[in-house]
Amino acid sequence: MLYKSTRGNTEVVNSQQAVVKGLCDDGGLFVPVDFPNVKLDLDEMSKYSYKEVACKILEIFFGDFSKEEIKNIVDNSYDGKFSCEELVDVVKGGDGFFIELYHGPTSAFKDMALSVLPHLMIESSKKISGDKEIVILTATSGDTGKAALEGFSNVDGIKIVVYYPSEGVSQTQRLQMVSQEGNNVKVYGINGNFDDAQRAVKEIFVNKELREEMAQNNKAFSSANSINIGRLVPQIVYYIYSYLQLVNRKEISLGDKVNVVVPCGNFGNILAAYYGEKLGLPVNKFICASNTNKVLTDFFNTGVYDRNRDMDITISPSMDILVSSNLERYLYEISDNDENFVKSAMESLQKDGRYEVRPEHMEKMKKFYGGFCNDEDTLTAIKEMYNNNKYLMDTHTAVAYKVYEDYVKETGDKTKTLIASTASPYKFSEAVCKGLGIYEDGLTDDEMMDKLHEYTSVSIPKNLFELRNKKAIHNDVIDKSTIIENLKKYLELGE
Ligand SMILES: *Cc1c(COP(=O)(O)O)cnc(C)c1O
């Protein structure tokens, strides 16, 4: 299995190199040279456990590993780390089926892939780069950071540096990150928003001088963001698995199409569903839900991607993103692998903050529906879902549900629908309490969690409960202009 850049660079690497490198030298994203021409045998797979589905999918994309190696990676990734036996629960709520993706060690869906990535990376690195130290750089809108820290902490041969926007993550998200222990972890707050952090990290990747200096010191950068193909592939698994759960429960017959609703930020999660469709997952519509940072909604409705606008700080902070990196892989798809088109679109995004697709691309984009939801409607959705169905959603999932409701109102579509539920409501207790009408001024985060628990009886995930005994260790908040300087200091590189 070989990978190349979305932007037409001639560099071709195997899957292990793609995982270890994270991003292409030309700034493009790794995509398969030939997308696997595989149609999954869903009938056969309906009996599979989650981990068996995971092995099947990983084997397709990481063919440089043996089946046995893949099985070890999957076992080591998932065993004993999730609070529900099959890793995800598929739960009916209102008119949708929620894929609860937040039962992992940090209570967000990022755990589904970031439990796997460290193992993939270590095994890949052993095969290709010998004893080189890998330095993982991660920009986070809130959830990736903690999930990556948890996955990589105290792993030999790897250092991890996380950058979070100093304003724009929830209290709980921040404490999760700044309290991270481990001898190889570093966490910085960045004065700025997620896009600033993400851009700064991408600039480090394409900084040739720094890359060479790293190489001289026997180190190399990699990424734990969803631009890493090793993040994306494990996310395909739960769409296939959940679909098969609906079949097994006789909600649908094998082969029936479903809708897939995803609260989107960097466009990684929904892209994984799209890759799933290419492997044979029957999908009617991909519903891309945004908060008021609705660049994606506008993109699907007009064909113009335009980040020239102010970023709103919303109650669904993990989606406060104006540059959705993985959309680049989608552009590559809808343009029939037209690298020149992708390259020029990305150049114009860099230069003018916008780009436009062609009419023939718009035709292909009809498979997607884009919608958005503001904070007020998000809170109302949480309240109505809880009052009517006793089902508790976090703010991101509520955005998804509201956009799904709008879609149904607009189209009358009755297709059974899977909704990605991306975080535990307890990560966003303040907003969820406000939605339910039980918020009181002056409560600490712990008290709010307790209040939410008293009101709903939904149990507090252990990792979040234990935060009340944790202390902040990482107190650095830096300006984005000093990222490289600080990084060099941390890595003990010369000036
Ligand atoms: C990361 C995240 C998202 C957005 O997912 P993308 O793959 O970046 O589109 C949505 N909800 C939550 C809770 C997240 O952590």
Side-chain angles (χ1 to χ4, degrees), residues 1-2 31-38 60-61 236 274-279 333 337:
M1 183 85 193
L2 296 174
V31 283
V33 171
D34 296 301
F35 198 91
N37 186 13
V38 174
I60 296 172
F61 287 90
I236 301 171
Y274 182 77
Y275 275 10
E277 192 207 20
K278 286 173 71 91
L279 299 175
E333 291 289 326
N337 309 354

Side-chain angles (χ1 to χ4, degrees), residues 143 263 315-319 378 394-401 422-423 428:
D143 291 325
I315 56 172
S316 44
S318 303
M319 298 155 70
T378 305
D394 96 290
T395 47
H396 305 75
T397 309
V399 165
Y401 192 74
T422 49
F428 306 96

Side-chain angles (χ1 to χ4, degrees), residues 172 426 429 445-453 460 464:
T172 302
Y426 286 100
S429 304
D445 235 34
D446 303 342
E447 288 165 340
M448 252 162 337
M449 280 194 211
D450 290 340
K451 197 157 184 73
L452 192 52
H453 174 66
I460 305 176
L464 296 180

Side-chain angles (χ1 to χ4, degrees), residues 1 3 35-75 78 87 116 120 232-241 244 275-276 279-281:
M1 183 85 193
Y3 289 83
F35 198 91
N37 186 13
V38 174
K39 284 285 168 264
L40 295 170
D41 184 348
L42 294 176
D43 194 11
E44 161 72 22
M45 288 176 73
S46 64
K47 299 177 215 71
Y48 284 14
S49 67
Y50 189 93
K51 287 201 306 182
E52 285 168 333
V53 178
C55 288
K56 181 90 198 165
I57 303 294
L58 265 62
E59 281 164 17
I60 296 172
F61 287 90
F62 303 111
D64 305 300
F65 288 111
S66 69
K67 283 193 175 187
E68 200 186 329
E69 286 170 324
I70 295 277
K71 184 170 184 308
N72 284 335
I73 288 172
V74 168
D75 286 344
Y78 289 137
L87 302 151
V116 182
L120 262 182
L232 208 52
V233 172
Q235 296 183 347
I236 301 171
V237 178
Y238 42 77
Y239 292 106
I240 310 280
Y241 175 80
L244 295 173
Y275 275 10
L279 299 175
L281 178 71

Side-chain angles (χ1 to χ4, degrees), residues 108-110 141-144 173 226 231 235 262-270 318-319 321 394 396 422-423 428:
F109 92 91
K110 307 292 199 289
S141 61
D143 291 325
T144 291
Q173 286 177 313
S226 57
R231 263 285 295 280
Q235 296 183 347
V262 184
C264 288
N266 232 348
F267 207 71
N269 202 3
I270 199 165
S318 303
M319 298 155 70
I321 293 177
D394 96 290
H396 305 75
T422 49
F428 306 96

Side-chain angles (χ1 to χ4, degrees), residues 60 64 68 102 116 187 235 259 261 286 294 324 394:
I60 296 172
D64 305 300
E68 200 186 329
Y102 56 78
V116 182
V187 180
Q235 296 183 347
N259 295 326
V261 189
F286 295 98
K294 61 183 186 62
S324 303
D394 96 290

